[in-house]
Amino acid sequence: MAKALFGHVVAPAQLRMVEENAVLRAKVRRLELELEELRSQRDAAIAHELLSLTGSSEPALA
């Protein structure tokens, strides 16, 4: 009767798997944010290098 009131009992192995899944999802989110930051830094460095090659401090289309 108690099972019917509280739903099914979750096995400890299932709880561990759910916890590990949450940890892995959080790690993926952190890595995605780090990747985005590195890409923006790379793009800024490329833009800076291209501007330095032209000898102008303003973009050509400005």
Side-chain angles (χ1 to χ4, degrees):
M1 186 72 148
K3 262 187 166 180
L5 294 173
F6 294 108
H8 72 285
V9 176
V10 178
Q14 287 177 327
L15 285 176
R16 196 175 103 227
M17 185 174 60
V18 168
E19 290 172 356
E20 288 178 5
N21 195 3
V23 169
L24 290 172
R25 287 180 187 270
K27 187 180 283 190
V28 167
R29 280 192 301 271
R30 284 192 309 271
L31 289 171
E32 286 174 337
L33 289 172
E34 184 179 346
L35 179 61
E36 176 129 2
E37 182 179 331
L38 290 171
R39 283 180 174 162
S40 67
Q41 289 174 2
R42 179 200 62 198
D43 292 346
I46 290 171
H48 177 73
E49 186 174 341
L50 289 174
L51 286 175
S52 69
L53 290 175
T54 63
S56 172
S57 62
E58 296 181 17
L61 298 176

